[in-house]
């Protein structure tokens, strides 16, 4: 084992920071963290990522990428998330999730048509998996895609489709064969969001992040939109979900640093917070856990970079990081005392209310993208081999 | 970063695991008897690990981190880490850490040539055991006595207190008109004025209070320069802390495996108890706890091996692993039900070991406090 960070990785980190210092304006950050997540400034920023070749960083050279190892994408995501920039979460679904899947399963035509535009940051996607009656149990999804001889005709409803209001395409999971057992009859499609019959309605969340319901009413989807084989969708979705599981800790490390800083300069009852033994221990404990999270996340990036397939490690990362974030956020608002109640954006709120909103957003993370309970099931059954 | 072990390390792990597994004289069955004797009959009985010790010498383990000129195998600290983890897995008698990792390596790095020649080959061939007599506080004091020095004081619950051939003693030694400093001495067991009172502890083994009463020492016995023992002791304690973490990492891995195998087979209500989700989620949490312990511990070990400042990582590793190992053994007991409470079952050996390892070389709270001091000073755990 070797825990050293090679100079070339450090250099890439510096290069990203230099880029962010000039390109990541306050406006872009505000927009990226806003309810709607993205509009013109954010889209410009994503295009600049594309101009640098950073969206297609890890794609093979003959597919228009830079052929860099997954570690570089990890470092990029880590820095983006640390800086609250768009491109790492909630946005750039095309670059982060769709493109790697297309490289594995996409048709030549799909790759030719979509990859260059994804790489340039011109188009984005929204994920359409969850339905009212299919959350953790995705295999029970009911949206139907029926082949009528010319087209698939899609009818159904997708819930919590984040980014569907600005996405150009929907990455849609729908049932093509209702006679097959649950996992068997599902296919994946790339659907143009402008297709007649699609309606997007906002869902406003307590995290101040918009998500959506997407209604499909006899939407006609061409054969070319099918990704991979018909009824192969669940396997492709699993691959996509595991790609999504590249977790970074840039945001958590920053919060630990902000907390330390806050505790060092804030007085309460005549002494600094950091001089209180329970505060000291709690900060030390959280710093330890974030360091562990950092190692967990690096391990997955290393596996992906060196051609190993993250199995249980990727599940452990999701579980550990999201639960840690909640502990960290809870500690942060507790440290603020009564001021912790001041809402994000309130002038008097410490750090502009960052911790307050961080707490609300942390509650979401142990749910979205696979709940903690599902992660524990997976660890117990697939990793430890316990019987179902 | 690279999370893979070298092929030598894989080989060493394989050999160690085989040698320490059941059915071997070095193995768990033997260890079990030793531990059982030590835990229940008191330190005077059942402590014959001489056979085990000489086999460890034959395998080259006792000299693993020493250079060949001192009879060692020239292994790296990461090699040593692998062995320590495997010893923990088998809850092997704990003398190895004190003799080789704590005292042996301090002699190697800081003692004069004569002392190195005196002790290292003898450790490697299995004829000498060493232990640390230090509590991080000011329990032993050095006083000028004519031209020489006199040591007075005592340290409680020293490892291998009776069986050790020599003690590495840390004494508070105050230069005239200056702040107290530390000086280290290597004292043979028979040195007049040293008294040992055995103590029975939950983890068993040869523990005891070591008292020094007017022990006269000379410059020959010093390890490192006079008044310069604090940094050497700090380094020694860091190695000890990491060795304890590795012990828990190995032991916790074994607990997880035992528990997983058991709940997959034990049937109640017509199905394996391991199919109940409450049980599965406990097992998953145990797996995450041990995986985390392993990574943070190996990071600390790597830094020590590279000679980098490891103060922060060691504190993190010891704080976290001590807590995590306790959670894992507690859940382990829960999932075994009644059988795990029986003395014929191994589970209690692992619980007992945790009581010892969690306290050895600083407990979780102490390390968190130390870490907090470092964080306050540096402002971040992650300087660029
Ligand atoms: C803000 C937000 C954004 C999202 N973005 C997207 C998106 O862009 N695209 C998309 O497709 N989806 C998205 N989702 C959906 C998200 O992935 C699901 O909410 C999540 O998978 C959980 O499904 P559910 O909400 O239906 O909860 P349920 O599955 O109904 O779970 C309810 C509770 O039951 C527990 N539970 C369920 N099954 C089990 C089991 N087998 N064992 C033990 N416990 C179990 C869960 O852990 C949970 O505690 C988003 C959700 C949110 C809140």
């Amino acid at each position: 084992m070797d825990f050293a960070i090679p100079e070339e990785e450090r250099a890439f980190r510096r290069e990203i920071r230099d880029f962010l210092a000039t390109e990541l304006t306050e406006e872009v950050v505000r927009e990226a963290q806003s309810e709607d997540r993205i509009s013109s400034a954010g889209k410009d920023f994503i295009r600049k990522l594309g101009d640098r070749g950073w969206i297609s960083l890890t794609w093979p050279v003959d597919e228009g990428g830079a052929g860099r190892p997954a570690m570089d994408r990890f470092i990029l995501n880590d820095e983006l998330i640390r800086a609250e920039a768009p491109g790492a979460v909630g946005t750039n679904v095309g670059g982060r999730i769709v493109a790697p899947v297309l490289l594995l399963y996409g048709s030549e035509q799909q790759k030719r048509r979509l990859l260059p535009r994804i790489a340039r940051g011109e188009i984005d996607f929204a994920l359409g998996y969850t339905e009212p009656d299919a959350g953790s149990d995705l295999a029970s999804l009911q949206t139907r895609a029926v082949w009528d001889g010319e087209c698939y005709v899609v009818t159904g409803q997708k819930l919590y489709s984040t980014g569907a209001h600005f996405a150009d395409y929907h990455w849609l999971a729908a049932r093509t064969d209702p006679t097959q057992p649950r996992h068997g009859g599902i296919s994946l499609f790339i659907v143009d969001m402008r297709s007649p019959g699609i309606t997007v309605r906002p869902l406003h969340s307590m995290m101040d992040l918009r998500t959506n319901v997407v209604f499909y009413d006899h939407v006609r989807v061409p054969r070319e939109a099918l990704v991979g084989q018909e009824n192969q969708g669940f396997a492709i979705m699993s691959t996509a979900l595991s790609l999504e599981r590249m977790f970074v800790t840039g945001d958590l490390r920053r919060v630990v640093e902000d907390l330390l800083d806050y505790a060092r300069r804030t007085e309460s009852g005549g002494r600094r917070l950091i001089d209180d033994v329970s505060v000291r221990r709690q900060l030390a404990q959280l710093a330890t856990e974030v360091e562990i999270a950092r190692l967990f996340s690096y391990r997955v990036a290393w596996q992906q970079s060196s051609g190993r397939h993250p199995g249980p490690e990727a599940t452990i990362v999701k579980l550990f990081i999201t639960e840690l974030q909640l502990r960290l956020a809870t500690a942060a608002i507790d440290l603020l005392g009564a001021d912790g109640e001041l809402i994000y954006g309130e002038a008097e709120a410490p750090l502009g209310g960052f911790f307050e909103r961080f707490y609300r957003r942390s509650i979401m993370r142990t749910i979205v993208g696979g709940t903690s309970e599902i992660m524990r099931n997976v660890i117990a059954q697939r990793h430890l081999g316990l019987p179902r | 970063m690279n999370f893979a072990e070298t092929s030598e390390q894989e080989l060493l792990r394989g050999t160690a695991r085989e040698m320490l597994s059941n059915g071997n004289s070095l193995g768990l069955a033997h260890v079990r008897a030793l531990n059982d004797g030590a835990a229940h009959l008191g330190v005077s009985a059942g402590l014959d690990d001489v056979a085990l010790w000489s086999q460890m010498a034959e395998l080259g383990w006792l000299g693993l981190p020493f250079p060949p000129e001192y009879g060692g195998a020239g292994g790296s600290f990461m090699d040593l880490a692998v062995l320590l983890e495997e010893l923990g897995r088998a809850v092997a008698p704990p003398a190895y850490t004190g003799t080789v990792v704590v005292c042996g390596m301090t002699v190697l790095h800081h003692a004069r040539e004569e002392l190195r020649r005196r002790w290292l080959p003898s450790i490697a061939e299995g004829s000498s055991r060493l232990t640390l007599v230090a509590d991080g506080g000011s329990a032993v004091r050095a006083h000028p006595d004519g031209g020489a020095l006199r040591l007075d004081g005592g340290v409680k619950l020293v490892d291998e207190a009776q069986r050790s051939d020599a003690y590495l003693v840390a004494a508070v030694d105050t230069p005239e008109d200056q702040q107290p400093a530390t000086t280290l001495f290597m004292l043979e067991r028979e040195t007049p004025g040293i008294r040992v009172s055995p103590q029975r502890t939950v983890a068993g083994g040869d523990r005891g209070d070591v008292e020094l009463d007017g022990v006269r020492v000379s410059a020959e016995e010093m390890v490192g320069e006079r008044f310069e023992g604090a940094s050497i002791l700090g380094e020694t304690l860091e190695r000890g802390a990491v060795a304890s973490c590795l012990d828990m990492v190995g032991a916790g891995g074994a607990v997880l495996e035992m528990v997983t195998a058991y709940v997959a087979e034990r049937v109640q209500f017509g199905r394996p108890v391991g199919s109940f989700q409450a049980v599965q989620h406990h097992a998953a949490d145990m797996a995450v706890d041990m995986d985390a312990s392993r990574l943070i511990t190996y990071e600390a070990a790597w830094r020590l091996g590279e000679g980098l400042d490891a103060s922060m990582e060691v504190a993190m590793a010891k704080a976290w692993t001590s807590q995590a190992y306790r959670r894992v053994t507690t859940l382990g007991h829960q999932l075994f039900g009644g059988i795990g409470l029986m003395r014929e079952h191994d589970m209690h050996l692992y619980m007992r070991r945790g009581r010892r390892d969690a306290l050895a070389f600083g407990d979780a709270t102490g390390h968190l406090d130390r870490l907090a001091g470092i964080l306050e000073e540096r402002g971040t755990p992650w300087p660029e």
Side-chain angles (χ1 to χ4, degrees):
Chain A
M1 286 189 230
D2 179 355
F3 291 84
I5 308 282
E7 175 49 32
E8 56 189 37
E9 286 175 24
R10 288 177 195 276
F12 184 46
R13 225 176 248 283
R14 282 194 298 273
E15 188 187 340
I16 299 165
R17 288 189 182 181
D18 290 346
F19 166 83
L20 292 174
T22 50
E23 302 299 349
L24 186 68
T25 60
E26 266 176 46
E27 190 193 359
V28 176
V29 172
R30 208 177 320 118
E31 205 181 80
Q33 300 301 322
S34 71
E35 166 105 46
D36 280 353
R37 272 198 169 129
I38 207 157
S39 56
S40 61
K43 283 190 170 166
D44 279 351
F45 179 84
I46 301 260
R47 269 193 287 273
K48 283 177 184 157
L49 290 178
D51 290 345
R52 287 259 168 164
W54 285 351
I55 294 177
S56 52
L57 199 57
T58 56
W59 308 357
V61 175
D62 52 13
E63 302 279 7
R68 300 293 305 158
M71 185 58 81
D72 280 13
R73 189 159 55 93
F74 169 78
I75 292 169
L76 179 65
N77 283 352
D78 196 55
E79 288 297 324
L80 290 177
I81 212 167
R82 183 187 175 90
E84 298 186 86
V89 277
T91 54
N92 188 21
V93 169
R96 289 182 303 118
I97 300 166
V98 173
V101 177
L102 284 184
L103 286 167
L104 291 174
Y105 297 97
S107 66
E108 282 311 311
Q109 195 240 18
Q110 284 165 342
K111 289 199 265 185
R112 233 181 13 256
R113 201 163 53 89
L114 296 169
L115 288 180
R117 290 157 71 209
I118 295 176
R120 289 195 296 269
E122 287 169 8
I123 51 171
D124 208 351
F125 291 69
L127 301 180
Y129 301 147
T130 307
E131 297 180 1
D133 291 322
S136 298
D137 181 16
L138 277 182
S140 69
L141 61 85
Q142 285 161 14
T143 294
R144 289 277 283 122
V146 183
W147 182 250
D148 74 353
E150 265 177 30
C151 269
Y152 290 100
V153 180
V154 180
T155 300
Q157 194 187 130
K158 290 290 167 179
L159 202 56
Y160 311 133
S161 193
T162 307
H165 59 293
F166 61 74
D168 307 277
Y169 295 94
H170 213 206
W171 180 252
L172 173 77
R175 191 163 294 283
T176 31
D177 186 352
T179 65
Q180 288 205 39
R182 300 163 18 95
H183 301 81
I186 295 171
S187 301
L188 267 177
F189 299 92
I190 292 172
V191 182
D192 190 329
M193 287 300 287
R194 291 163 308 185
S195 311
I198 291 184
T199 316
V200 178
R201 293 255 165 77
L203 283 173
H204 299 286
S205 74
M206 69 169 209
M207 295 78 69
D208 297 342
L209 289 174
R210 172 183 172 169
T211 181
N212 307 280
V213 199
V214 180
F215 297 95
Y216 279 78
D217 181 11
H218 295 87
V219 177
R220 299 186 65 76
V221 175
R223 169 126 250 163
E224 305 86 76
L226 177 69
V227 181
Q229 307 291 314
E230 204 175 79
N231 301 329
Q232 194 194 4
F234 206 82
I236 302 177
M237 239 190 328
S238 304
T239 308
L241 280 168
S242 74
L243 291 167
E244 204 177 335
R245 237 153 251 163
M246 173 179 263
F247 277 81
V248 290
T249 58
D251 49 346
L252 305 193
R253 299 202 308 280
R254 179 175 160 180
V255 169
V256 168
E257 288 167 356
D258 286 351
L259 275 177
L260 272 169
D261 183 53
Y262 182 79
R264 286 202 300 183
R265 61 184 168 71
T266 309
E267 291 205 353
S268 163
R271 63 172 183 174
R272 297 182 312 155
L273 288 171
I274 192 115
D275 294 327
D276 179 279
V277 69
S278 65
V279 170
R280 294 175 73 77
R281 283 190 191 144
Q282 191 172 34
L283 290 177
Q285 178 79 33
L286 290 166
T288 300
E289 294 176 9
V290 173
E291 173 62 7
I292 290 169
R294 188 181 75 92
L295 296 176
F296 272 151
S297 67
Y298 254 103
R299 183 173 56 179
V300 172
W302 165 78
Q303 287 179 311
Q304 291 171 336
S305 274
S306 57
R308 294 168 168 85
H309 288 286
E313 292 85 358
T315 316
I316 287 175
V317 168
K318 161 65 166 102
L319 176 62
F320 191 85
I321 290 192
T322 57
E323 301 227 313
L324 169 57
Q325 177 169 334
L326 194 48
R327 288 196 292 280
L328 187 59
T330 308
I333 51 166
D334 284 353
L335 195 67
L336 302 184
D339 283 350
E341 209 189 338
L342 290 171
I343 203 160
Y344 179 80
E346 189 65 18
E348 296 284 305
L351 280 81
F354 178 86
F355 290 154
E356 182 283 313
R357 194 186 55 188
F358 183 65
Y359 174 75
R360 276 184 286 141
R361 292 188 173 177
S362 299
I363 299 174
M364 143 181 96
R365 292 201 67 198
T366 52
I367 298 167
V368 177
T371 69
S372 291
E373 288 70 30
I374 297 298
M375 295 303 113
R376 288 191 175 90
N377 292 349
V378 170
I379 293 169
Q381 291 165 11
R382 284 198 225 136
H383 170 32
L384 300 176
L386 291 180
R388 276 170 171 276
Chain B
M1 291 198 192
N2 183 340
F3 294 85
E5 279 174 359
T6 64
S7 50
E8 291 85 34
Q9 283 157 4
E10 278 173 9
L11 199 69
L12 175 63
R13 189 182 288 286
T15 315
R17 190 164 296 189
E18 198 188 316
M19 296 308 292
L20 290 161
S21 64
N22 271 328
N24 209 304
S25 68
L26 206 73
L28 193 58
H30 180 66
V31 163
R32 218 178 262 147
L34 285 177
N35 274 299
D36 208 36
H40 302 291
L41 306 173
V43 279
S44 53
L47 259 173
D48 186 14
D49 64 351
V50 171
L52 176 87
W53 199 254
S54 61
Q55 281 188 58
M56 293 212 280
E58 263 167 48
L59 287 161
W61 293 356
L62 292 175
L64 183 65
F66 307 151
E69 70 244 50
Y70 301 109
S76 70
F77 197 75
M78 291 302 266
D79 299 338
L80 186 61
V82 167
L83 180 60
L84 287 166
E85 186 185 339
E86 291 303 317
L87 288 167
R89 200 183 145 84
V91 280
Y96 186 90
T97 292
T99 297
V100 179
V101 188
V102 175
C103 297
M105 290 187 75
T106 296
V107 169
L108 173 66
H109 294 310
H110 300 286
R112 289 186 321 282
E113 186 59 18
E114 303 92 273
L115 281 182
R116 279 189 251 167
R117 296 241 165 260
R118 163 74 186 84
W119 292 111
L120 299 180
S122 149
I123 292 173
E125 70 182 38
S127 0
S128 291
R129 299 191 193 201
L130 273 52
T131 193
L132 180 67
V133 178
D135 69 350
S138 54
V140 178
R141 293 181 168 274
H143 309 281
D145 182 15
L149 280 172
R150 188 166 49 84
L151 303 184
D152 290 294
V155 172
K156 293 172 83 62
L157 292 178
V158 169
D159 271 328
E160 302 297 300
Q162 295 183 81
R163 302 173 56 95
S164 286
D165 301 283
Y167 304 109
L168 177 61
V169 180
V172 178
D173 189 8
T174 310
E176 240 170 276
D177 304 329
Q178 285 180 45
Q179 293 297 311
T182 302
T183 305
L184 302 181
F185 302 92
M186 183 61 78
L187 303 179
E188 304 213 13
R189 183 180 45 197
E190 309 305 338
T191 309
I194 297 185
R195 202 176 64 232
V196 178
S197 335
Q199 302 286 353
R200 295 200 303 152
T201 61
V202 62
D206 171 16
R207 305 285 292 281
D209 299 345
V210 173
E211 272 173 80
L212 293 90
D213 184 9
V215 175
R216 287 180 63 89
V217 289
S218 66
E220 252 101 89
E221 289 155 312
M222 271 180 210
V223 175
E225 297 300 316
R226 192 169 173 207
F227 305 129
E228 284 175 13
S231 72
I232 302 175
L233 179 62
E235 196 185 286
T236 303
L237 294 173
E238 282 183 354
R239 270 201 315 279
V242 169
S244 301
C245 290
L246 287 159
D247 200 66
M248 291 188 274
V249 167
V255 169
L256 179 62
E257 272 178 37
M258 285 177 354
V259 166
T260 309
Y262 181 74
V263 299
E265 276 185 2
R266 168 75 175 164
V267 172
Q268 288 292 285
F269 300 98
R271 46 196 273 216
V273 294
S275 68
F276 294 121
Q277 200 168 54
V279 170
Q280 291 192 350
H281 285 197
H282 282 330
D285 285 340
M286 292 167 72
V288 175
D289 262 345
M290 289 326 301
D291 198 17
S293 301
R294 196 155 191 281
L295 277 189
I296 192 79
T297 294
Y298 271 93
E299 185 186 33
W302 176 79
R303 292 192 73 91
L304 285 180
E306 295 290 305
L308 300 167
D309 175 5
S311 51
M312 189 182 82
E313 290 77 7
V314 170
M316 287 177 163
K318 189 63 177 38
W320 170 268
T321 306
S322 304
Q323 298 164 347
Y325 184 73
R326 175 178 298 183
R327 289 193 289 269
V328 165
T329 50
T330 307
L331 282 176
H333 271 299
Q334 187 63 28
L335 297 189
F336 270 117
I339 191 69
L341 307 175
M342 297 303 114
R343 208 180 277 177
E344 70 194 34
H345 195 279
D346 287 339
M347 192 57 220
H348 76 114
L349 300 178
Y350 288 90
M351 179 278 289
R352 289 170 190 276
R353 186 62 154 241
R355 295 293 313 280
R356 171 187 186 282
D357 282 348
L359 292 168
F361 305 100
D363 66 1
T365 311
H367 279 283
L368 286 179
D369 288 345
R370 221 159 58 83
L371 176 58
I374 297 170
L375 295 179
E376 182 182 357
E377 193 188 304
R378 295 188 191 166
T380 174
W382 305 281
E384 293 314 321

